[in-house]
Amino acid sequence: MRGLSLFERASRSFHDYPLLSKFIVVCAVSGGGLLAYADATHPMVYMLWHHPRGKQEKKVVVLGTGWAGTSFLKKLNNPSYDVQVISPRNYFAFTPLLPSVTCGTVEARSIVEPVRNIVRKKNVDISFWEAECFKIDAENKKVYCRCNQNTNMNGKEEFVVDYDYLVIAMGARPNTFNTPGVMEYCNFLKEVEDAQKIRRTVIDNFEKASLPNLSDEERKRILHFVVVGGGPTGVEFAAELHDFVNEDLVKLYPAAKDFVKITLLEAADHILNMFDKRITGFAEEKFKRDGIDVKLGSMVVKVSDKEISTKVRGNGETTSIPYGMVVWSTGIGTRPVIRDFMKQIGQTNRRALATDEWLRVEGCNNVYALGDCATINQRKVMEDISAIFKKADKDNSGTLTVKEFQEVIDDICERYPQVELYLKNKKMRDIVDMLKEAKGDVAKESIELNINEFKTALSEVDSQMKNLPATAQVASQQGTYLANCFNRMEEAEKNPEGPLRFRGEGRHRFRPFRYKHLGQFAPLGGEQTAAQLPGDWVSIGHSSQWLWYSVYASKQVSWRTRALVVSDWTRRFIFGRDSSGI
């Protein structure tokens, strides 16, 4: 130790004794702030917690290391499982910051965390293989995988893995809508590699446009950046690119300033359709002021190596636009392995795997799907209306009183969340108000409904059913929910905690998954962000930008990535964005 410097000694101490890695990060700027604290697990505690593999361990195979898969792994703490994680990437990526990576606001390494770092100190037997699943055999409980490395493995690239439980969290791929030329000439923004490629292309285009042997028309084409899709990703990338060009690149390439153009193509009538109209209007006005050309009602019909062809919705007019780079951000599509699996289990003509409210794949035993590759097929009240009536009518009188109905109302609302949404939208205090409305002006105590009147009272409830959005927030909550179910699997078998089984006996083992919307952000550039939070609360401006900084920093998967992201933001404020393209 004598030959080691003070820094080397400190570094070794932190590595050998993680208890020393307690630290506090405080960021407080102009009224916005972030306070965070971390306490690493001591190795001795890990040794005491880590159980050797037992004979009765159930094997759980997890496909994917995105938001859903990683949340599941982080929250799983039942040592009775042997968990095998399989994914073509050995890290978790904080995808909401990918637009920032494209322009050097945040470095790619700052938003990724190795999977092995995430799971190495857990008390569950978890191992990881970097491979790609290309076939799922639910009947025989097997998944077929291949190594995605290019090294020669003497014909042993493929292998088969057995499972007791399968968790499919493979995400989705970009949706091209079979538009000609998209796969060949467009950039996507789904993975870290995509963001790095866009960053290199932007810098390369500025370098090309600076060459002396080009015409002005060619420079305009090269420096025309087209974004297809007016959703959150497309809007944020357009805003990031605008800031990158005007705050950093024009200083290095002053001659290119007059040739740069950013165009945003959106097939719908407005950008950010999933946000409040106040945010949509503000975003469109800000982009207009910033010089970003927003073309609404423009559908892309073809992409070539130098031109993108659009058709105006309504009059059908077709226009060809020269471009230097296209970023395609128009939604998600199904991965081939998921599509093949859906055909195998009879789920054809769907955009994603259908699951029940407990995230179990319909038609399969012990197979779960969550995140962008799946969608919850919420059971309709009217499909079970007779069973609900029969379960509530305990005296078999053929009529339902308010007292009888109140005994099962909590189970109905928990099993069918659309009932609660319907009451909220109709501004009814409880379901008794709904029954009174169906029966007419009758005293509460004397309400009695037969089966037909009961059907009439609940006939419009299913109109409130909506599919969950394909967002990181939904996937993360689903992963956490499923992990909690696995943690309590044995206990719930003995003591079910879910709602009544209206079409069977007893209760469901678990409460069904419920998504809790925590709000959404739309960074619009110029240190301004639009925030839409629960309770119809909308905030637009600089204060929302600091809220965005705090939330995204706090949501990082580790203290390492949290520190790196905050340091990247600080570096950008002081020195500007990196324009090397590396």
Side-chain angles (χ1 to χ4, degrees):
M1 289 291 286
R2 287 183 179 180
L4 296 178
S5 66
L6 179 62
F7 176 79
E8 289 171 327
R9 292 182 184 181
S11 179
R12 178 172 292 185
S13 297
F14 275 102
H15 183 271
D16 294 340
Y17 303 100
L19 275 179
L20 296 176
S21 63
K22 295 179 180 179
F23 62 90
I24 295 178
V25 173
V26 179
C27 292
V29 189
S30 67
L34 165 68
L35 175 64
Y37 174 78
D39 185 357
T41 306
H42 193 277
M44 184 59 70
V45 177
Y46 168 69
M47 293 172 62
L48 291 173
W49 280 359
H50 191 80
H51 298 273
R53 182 175 176 179
K55 294 181 180 179
Q56 301 302 318
E57 283 185 345
K58 294 283 188 179
K59 186 164 187 178
V60 180
V61 172
V62 180
L63 302 177
T65 53
W67 280 94
T70 301
S71 296
F72 175 80
L73 295 173
K74 285 188 68 178
K75 297 298 181 180
L76 187 67
N77 55 31
N78 189 333
S80 63
Y81 298 111
D82 171 25
V83 183
Q84 180 63 61
V85 186
I86 301 172
S87 175
R89 66 182 194 190
N90 66 352
Y91 57 85
F92 164 81
F94 191 86
T95 51
L97 283 178
L98 284 179
S100 297
V101 174
T102 62
C103 299
T105 306
V106 172
E107 294 297 325
R109 70 176 183 276
S110 301
I111 66 167
V112 300
E113 182 71 16
V115 174
R116 289 182 171 88
N117 275 0
I118 296 173
V119 303
R120 68 189 178 97
K121 292 179 181 178
K122 295 187 68 66
N123 63 322
V124 184
D125 188 7
I126 301 178
S127 55
F128 173 81
W129 292 334
E130 186 175 328
E132 181 180 10
C133 172
F134 63 89
K135 181 182 177 183
I136 300 171
D137 183 358
E139 185 177 351
N140 297 306
K141 292 189 175 182
K142 298 178 185 294
V143 291
Y144 294 79
C145 309
R146 68 167 64 94
C147 174
N148 64 341
Q149 304 293 336
N150 294 324
T151 54
N152 187 0
M153 299 181 65
N154 297 322
K156 296 183 179 179
E157 292 86 1
E158 297 185 359
F159 56 91
V160 182
V161 183
D162 298 313
Y163 67 83
D164 294 306
Y165 298 102
L166 178 63
V167 179
I168 305 174
M170 303 174 72
R173 66 175 182 175
N175 191 352
T176 66
F177 299 98
N178 296 318
T179 306
V182 172
M183 293 299 298
E184 293 84 358
Y185 303 112
C186 292
N187 295 276
F188 303 104
L189 195 47
K190 286 285 291 178
E191 303 289 345
V192 173
E193 293 82 3
D194 297 333
Q196 291 174 314
K197 181 182 177 183
I198 291 172
R199 181 174 173 179
R200 287 193 298 269
T201 303
V202 170
I203 300 301
D204 288 346
N205 282 15
F206 271 85
E207 292 293 350
K208 289 177 187 175
S210 300
L211 296 175
N213 58 339
L214 297 179
S215 65
D216 287 351
E217 285 300 316
E218 188 65 11
R219 287 190 175 92
K220 286 182 180 179
R221 182 191 68 79
I222 293 173
L223 294 178
H224 186 196
F225 302 97
V226 178
V227 183
V228 182
T233 302
V235 167
E236 184 175 351
F237 170 70
E240 281 277 359
L241 182 59
H242 173 269
D243 288 354
F244 187 31
V245 170
N246 288 275
E247 295 175 7
D248 300 279
L249 293 182
V250 294
K251 298 176 183 176
L252 302 175
Y253 307 90
K257 181 178 181 181
D258 296 332
F259 300 103
V260 180
K261 183 179 180 181
I262 301 172
T263 299
L264 179 63
L265 303 177
E266 170 56 43
D269 295 329
H270 295 283
I271 61 175
L272 299 176
N273 277 320
M274 65 294 300
F275 282 79
D276 187 276
K277 291 181 179 179
R278 290 168 287 180
I279 292 177
T280 297
F282 180 87
E284 291 175 355
E285 284 296 322
K286 185 180 186 304
F287 276 15
K288 185 177 180 179
R289 293 194 304 270
D290 291 343
I292 298 175
D293 186 14
V294 179
K295 294 183 181 296
L296 301 173
S298 295
M299 300 174 60
V300 177
V301 294
K302 182 182 178 181
V303 183
S304 65
D305 59 340
K306 293 183 179 180
E307 289 186 340
I308 181 168
S309 300
T310 64
K311 182 173 68 174
V312 178
R313 202 182 73 238
N315 59 22
E317 181 183 349
T318 303
T319 306
S320 292
I321 306 171
Y323 73 87
M325 183 186 77
V326 175
V327 173
W328 188 273
S329 177
T330 61
I332 58 173
T334 310
R335 293 188 184 276
V337 61
I338 298 296
R339 194 186 304 117
D340 293 341
F341 179 53
M342 289 166 65
K343 291 179 182 178
Q344 179 191 141
I345 60 176
Q347 289 193 18
T348 54
N349 301 321
R350 299 188 66 95
R351 71 165 186 85
L353 271 171
T355 72
D356 63 14
E357 298 87 335
W358 292 267
L359 309 184
R360 294 174 303 204
V361 175
E362 292 184 346
C364 297
N365 291 323
N366 298 334
V367 179
Y368 299 82
L370 48 163
D372 292 353
C373 69
T375 182
I376 297 175
N377 192 12
Q378 176 64 49
R379 184 111 182 139
K380 295 181 179 179
V381 171
M382 296 309 293
E383 292 176 342
D384 298 336
I385 193 72
S386 297
I388 294 172
F389 186 90
K390 184 177 180 181
K391 185 75 72 171
D393 184 20
K394 292 185 176 181
D395 60 2
N396 297 319
S397 63
T399 59
L400 204 60
T401 64
V402 170
K403 183 179 179 181
E404 287 177 321
F405 195 74
Q406 285 178 330
E407 291 179 1
V408 296
I409 183 58
D410 290 339
D411 292 297
I412 292 174
C413 289
E414 190 169 24
R415 181 66 181 85
Y416 308 96
Q418 59 265 41
V419 173
E420 199 168 343
L421 287 173
Y422 181 80
L423 293 174
K424 183 179 179 181
N425 290 339
K426 290 291 185 179
K427 297 181 180 179
M428 297 179 178
R429 289 175 300 173
D430 53 37
I431 204 161
V432 175
D433 289 344
M434 187 193 302
L435 300 182
K436 286 179 68 178
E437 187 179 80
K439 194 68 177 176
D441 191 14
V442 181
K444 173 181 175 181
E445 295 76 12
S446 59
I447 293 178
E448 284 194 20
L449 281 77
N450 58 36
I451 183 64
N452 292 324
E453 292 171 329
F454 187 59
K455 287 180 179 179
T456 302
L458 299 177
S459 60
E460 297 182 12
V461 165
D462 291 325
S463 64
Q464 301 300 314
M465 293 172 61
K466 293 180 181 179
N467 289 329
L468 296 177
T471 63
Q473 192 175 158
V474 171
S476 178
Q477 290 186 26
Q478 287 179 336
T480 299
Y481 165 83
L482 189 61
N484 290 333
C485 290
F486 272 69
N487 291 336
R488 305 191 310 274
M489 191 79 77
E490 294 181 4
E491 180 183 345
E493 289 283 359
K494 301 174 183 176
N495 301 301
E497 57 191 47
L500 282 172
R501 295 180 182 270
F502 289 104
R503 291 174 293 135
E505 297 298 325
R507 290 184 170 274
H508 291 278
R509 287 183 300 175
F510 304 105
R511 293 182 174 88
F513 172 74
R514 290 290 175 268
Y515 169 61
K516 184 178 181 181
H517 186 60
L518 302 177
Q520 53 190 348
F521 293 97
L524 302 174
E527 291 299 311
Q528 295 190 69
T529 290
Q532 183 174 337
L533 303 179
D536 197 31
W537 187 79
V538 171
S539 175
I540 306 172
H542 298 288
S543 59
S544 299
Q545 180 72 27
W546 289 111
L547 178 62
W548 180 85
Y549 283 136
S550 297
V551 170
Y552 275 32
S554 66
K555 292 296 182 181
Q556 295 298 315
V557 74
S558 72
W559 274 106
R560 185 190 71 85
T561 56
R562 189 172 292 119
L564 288 173
V565 165
V566 172
S567 66
D568 285 347
W569 286 334
T570 306
R571 170 188 52 76
R572 198 269 297 177
F573 273 113
I574 300 173
F575 302 108
R577 299 169 182 83
D578 176 35
S579 57
S580 63
I582 299 176

mmCIF file of all heavy atoms in Angstrom, residues 103-105 107 244 247-248 251 568-579:
data_model
loop_
_atom_site.group_PDB
_atom_site.id
_atom_site.type_symbol
_atom_site.label_atom_id
_atom_site.label_comp_id
_atom_site.label_asym_id
_atom_site.label_seq_id
_atom_site.Cartn_x
_atom_site.Cartn_y
_atom_site.Cartn_z
ATOM 1 N N CYS A 103 -27.482 14.448 -29.574
ATOM 2 C CA CYS A 103 -26.873 15.770 -29.764
ATOM 3 C C CYS A 103 -25.752 16.064 -28.772
ATOM 4 O O CYS A 103 -25.295 17.205 -28.676
ATOM 5 C CB CYS A 103 -27.943 16.856 -29.677
ATOM 6 S SG CYS A 103 -29.220 16.684 -30.948
ATOM 7 N N GLY A 104 -25.324 15.061 -28.022
ATOM 8 C CA GLY A 104 -24.195 15.252 -27.117
ATOM 9 C C GLY A 104 -24.533 15.944 -25.818
ATOM 10 O O GLY A 104 -23.635 16.274 -25.045
ATOM 11 N N THR A 105 -25.822 16.181 -25.550
ATOM 12 C CA THR A 105 -26.204 16.758 -24.256
ATOM 13 C C THR A 105 -25.866 15.788 -23.133
ATOM 14 O O THR A 105 -25.427 16.183 -22.047
ATOM 15 C CB THR A 105 -27.714 17.078 -24.233
ATOM 16 O OG1 THR A 105 -28.035 17.907 -25.348
ATOM 17 C CG2 THR A 105 -28.110 17.781 -22.954
ATOM 18 N N GLU A 107 -23.931 11.810 -22.606
ATOM 19 C CA GLU A 107 -23.142 10.765 -23.249
ATOM 20 C C GLU A 107 -23.857 9.423 -23.160
ATOM 21 O O GLU A 107 -24.590 9.166 -22.197
ATOM 22 C CB GLU A 107 -21.761 10.660 -22.599
ATOM 23 C CG GLU A 107 -20.884 11.876 -22.800
ATOM 24 C CD GLU A 107 -20.565 12.105 -24.268
ATOM 25 O OE1 GLU A 107 -20.419 11.114 -25.017
ATOM 26 O OE2 GLU A 107 -20.481 13.277 -24.678
ATOM 27 N N PHE A 244 -28.907 22.173 -30.460
ATOM 28 C CA PHE A 244 -27.548 21.759 -30.798
ATOM 29 C C PHE A 244 -26.997 22.610 -31.949
ATOM 30 O O PHE A 244 -25.867 23.106 -31.902
ATOM 31 C CB PHE A 244 -27.557 20.279 -31.184
ATOM 32 C CG PHE A 244 -26.199 19.682 -31.408
ATOM 33 C CD1 PHE A 244 -25.079 20.145 -30.719
ATOM 34 C CD2 PHE A 244 -26.035 18.645 -32.314
ATOM 35 C CE1 PHE A 244 -23.818 19.575 -30.915
ATOM 36 C CE2 PHE A 244 -24.789 18.075 -32.527
ATOM 37 C CZ PHE A 244 -23.684 18.545 -31.831
ATOM 38 N N GLU A 247 -26.973 26.590 -30.715
ATOM 39 C CA GLU A 247 -26.146 26.946 -29.566
ATOM 40 C C GLU A 247 -24.699 26.500 -29.711
ATOM 41 O O GLU A 247 -23.814 27.066 -29.063
ATOM 42 C CB GLU A 247 -26.742 26.328 -28.293
ATOM 43 C CG GLU A 247 -28.108 26.886 -27.913
ATOM 44 C CD GLU A 247 -28.713 26.164 -26.726
ATOM 45 O OE1 GLU A 247 -27.999 25.318 -26.121
ATOM 46 O OE2 GLU A 247 -29.888 26.411 -26.406
ATOM 47 N N ASP A 248 -24.442 25.488 -30.558
ATOM 48 C CA ASP A 248 -23.092 24.934 -30.620
ATOM 49 C C ASP A 248 -22.522 24.863 -32.041
ATOM 50 O O ASP A 248 -21.434 25.368 -32.303
ATOM 51 C CB ASP A 248 -23.083 23.528 -29.993
ATOM 52 C CG ASP A 248 -23.506 23.531 -28.539
ATOM 53 O OD1 ASP A 248 -22.665 23.839 -27.682
ATOM 54 O OD2 ASP A 248 -24.680 23.246 -28.262
ATOM 55 N N LYS A 251 -21.464 27.982 -34.224
ATOM 56 C CA LYS A 251 -20.218 28.622 -33.801
ATOM 57 C C LYS A 251 -19.021 27.968 -34.479
ATOM 58 O O LYS A 251 -18.018 28.628 -34.757
ATOM 59 C CB LYS A 251 -20.072 28.517 -32.275
ATOM 60 C CG LYS A 251 -21.161 29.224 -31.495
ATOM 61 C CD LYS A 251 -20.990 28.986 -30.010
ATOM 62 C CE LYS A 251 -22.131 29.623 -29.220
ATOM 63 N NZ LYS A 251 -22.026 29.327 -27.762
ATOM 64 N N ASP A 568 -22.970 15.358 -16.875
ATOM 65 C CA ASP A 568 -23.107 15.709 -18.297
ATOM 66 C C ASP A 568 -23.908 16.996 -18.473
ATOM 67 O O ASP A 568 -23.561 17.853 -19.291
ATOM 68 C CB ASP A 568 -23.792 14.574 -19.059
ATOM 69 C CG ASP A 568 -22.869 13.390 -19.306
ATOM 70 O OD1 ASP A 568 -21.652 13.541 -19.114
ATOM 71 O OD2 ASP A 568 -23.376 12.308 -19.685
ATOM 72 N N TRP A 569 -24.991 17.113 -17.730
ATOM 73 C CA TRP A 569 -25.781 18.347 -17.805
ATOM 74 C C TRP A 569 -24.948 19.552 -17.357
ATOM 75 O O TRP A 569 -25.000 20.617 -17.979
ATOM 76 C CB TRP A 569 -27.021 18.229 -16.921
ATOM 77 C CG TRP A 569 -28.086 17.333 -17.489
ATOM 78 C CD1 TRP A 569 -28.305 17.051 -18.803
ATOM 79 C CD2 TRP A 569 -29.076 16.611 -16.751
ATOM 80 N NE1 TRP A 569 -29.377 16.200 -18.937
ATOM 81 C CE2 TRP A 569 -29.872 15.907 -17.694
ATOM 82 C CE3 TRP A 569 -29.380 16.485 -15.404
ATOM 83 C CZ2 TRP A 569 -30.942 15.108 -17.317
ATOM 84 C CZ3 TRP A 569 -30.451 15.684 -15.020
ATOM 85 C CH2 TRP A 569 -31.214 15.006 -15.969
ATOM 86 N N THR A 570 -24.187 19.360 -16.285
ATOM 87 C CA THR A 570 -23.345 20.453 -15.785
ATOM 88 C C THR A 570 -22.288 20.831 -16.816
ATOM 89 O O THR A 570 -22.046 22.023 -17.068
ATOM 90 C CB THR A 570 -22.667 20.042 -14.467
ATOM 91 O OG1 THR A 570 -23.663 19.612 -13.522
ATOM 92 C CG2 THR A 570 -21.883 21.190 -13.874
ATOM 93 N N ARG A 571 -21.658 19.826 -17.407
ATOM 94 C CA ARG A 571 -20.637 20.075 -18.433
ATOM 95 C C ARG A 571 -21.233 20.837 -19.610
ATOM 96 O O ARG A 571 -20.603 21.754 -20.158
ATOM 97 C CB ARG A 571 -20.055 18.738 -18.911
ATOM 98 C CG ARG A 571 -19.169 18.857 -20.146
ATOM 99 C CD ARG A 571 -18.778 17.501 -20.674
ATOM 100 N NE ARG A 571 -19.911 16.612 -20.889
ATOM 101 C CZ ARG A 571 -20.744 16.714 -21.922
ATOM 102 N NH1 ARG A 571 -20.603 17.673 -22.817
ATOM 103 N NH2 ARG A 571 -21.744 15.862 -22.055
ATOM 104 N N ARG A 572 -22.441 20.457 -20.014
ATOM 105 C CA ARG A 572 -23.072 21.139 -21.139
ATOM 106 C C ARG A 572 -23.341 22.603 -20.831
ATOM 107 O O ARG A 572 -23.140 23.490 -21.673
ATOM 108 C CB ARG A 572 -24.387 20.414 -21.483
ATOM 109 C CG ARG A 572 -24.913 20.735 -22.872
ATOM 110 C CD ARG A 572 -25.860 21.904 -22.898
ATOM 111 N NE ARG A 572 -27.078 21.663 -22.132
ATOM 112 C CZ ARG A 572 -28.028 22.564 -21.966
ATOM 113 N NH1 ARG A 572 -27.898 23.779 -22.482
ATOM 114 N NH2 ARG A 572 -29.104 22.288 -21.247
ATOM 115 N N PHE A 573 -23.763 22.901 -19.582
ATOM 116 C CA PHE A 573 -24.004 24.291 -19.198
ATOM 117 C C PHE A 573 -22.719 25.117 -19.266
ATOM 118 O O PHE A 573 -22.736 26.280 -19.670
ATOM 119 C CB PHE A 573 -24.576 24.352 -17.772
ATOM 120 C CG PHE A 573 -26.061 24.219 -17.707
ATOM 121 C CD1 PHE A 573 -26.648 23.105 -17.122
ATOM 122 C CD2 PHE A 573 -26.896 25.196 -18.233
ATOM 123 C CE1 PHE A 573 -28.034 22.970 -17.063
ATOM 124 C CE2 PHE A 573 -28.271 25.071 -18.176
ATOM 125 C CZ PHE A 573 -28.845 23.953 -17.590
ATOM 126 N N ILE A 574 -21.606 24.498 -18.896
ATOM 127 C CA ILE A 574 -20.345 25.240 -18.818
ATOM 128 C C ILE A 574 -19.619 25.294 -20.164
ATOM 129 O O ILE A 574 -19.188 26.362 -20.611
ATOM 130 C CB ILE A 574 -19.425 24.610 -17.747
ATOM 131 C CG1 ILE A 574 -20.110 24.662 -16.369
ATOM 132 C CG2 ILE A 574 -18.079 25.334 -17.706
ATOM 133 C CD1 ILE A 574 -19.357 23.907 -15.293
ATOM 134 N N PHE A 575 -19.491 24.132 -20.812
ATOM 135 C CA PHE A 575 -18.656 24.029 -22.008
ATOM 136 C C PHE A 575 -19.434 23.850 -23.312
ATOM 137 O O PHE A 575 -18.838 23.886 -24.386
ATOM 138 C CB PHE A 575 -17.672 22.858 -21.864
ATOM 139 C CG PHE A 575 -16.780 22.965 -20.658
ATOM 140 C CD1 PHE A 575 -16.965 22.121 -19.569
ATOM 141 C CD2 PHE A 575 -15.766 23.915 -20.604
ATOM 142 C CE1 PHE A 575 -16.162 22.207 -18.460
ATOM 143 C CE2 PHE A 575 -14.951 24.010 -19.492
ATOM 144 C CZ PHE A 575 -15.143 23.162 -18.409
ATOM 145 N N GLY A 576 -20.743 23.613 -23.233
ATOM 146 C CA GLY A 576 -21.499 23.320 -24.437
ATOM 147 C C GLY A 576 -21.461 21.836 -24.772
ATOM 148 O O GLY A 576 -20.824 21.038 -24.088
ATOM 149 N N ARG A 577 -22.138 21.475 -25.856
ATOM 150 C CA ARG A 577 -22.214 20.070 -26.262
ATOM 151 C C ARG A 577 -20.972 19.666 -27.040
ATOM 152 O O ARG A 577 -20.374 20.484 -27.748
ATOM 153 C CB ARG A 577 -23.465 19.838 -27.124
ATOM 154 C CG ARG A 577 -24.770 20.126 -26.415
ATOM 155 C CD ARG A 577 -25.926 20.129 -27.408
ATOM 156 N NE ARG A 577 -27.196 20.444 -26.755
ATOM 157 C CZ ARG A 577 -27.623 21.672 -26.497
ATOM 158 N NH1 ARG A 577 -26.868 22.712 -26.836
ATOM 159 N NH2 ARG A 577 -28.790 21.872 -25.914
ATOM 160 N N ASP A 578 -20.633 18.395 -26.940
ATOM 161 C CA ASP A 578 -19.503 17.852 -27.686
ATOM 162 C C ASP A 578 -19.900 17.693 -29.154
ATOM 163 O O ASP A 578 -20.940 17.115 -29.462
ATOM 164 C CB ASP A 578 -19.094 16.499 -27.098
ATOM 165 C CG ASP A 578 -17.984 15.853 -27.899
ATOM 166 O OD1 ASP A 578 -17.133 16.589 -28.404
ATOM 167 O OD2 ASP A 578 -17.993 14.612 -28.023
ATOM 168 N N SER A 579 -19.085 18.185 -30.054
ATOM 169 C CA SER A 579 -19.395 18.110 -31.485
ATOM 170 C C SER A 579 -18.374 17.283 -32.251
ATOM 171 O O SER A 579 -18.218 17.444 -33.458
ATOM 172 C CB SER A 579 -19.441 19.523 -32.080
ATOM 173 O OG SER A 579 -18.221 20.199 -31.866
#
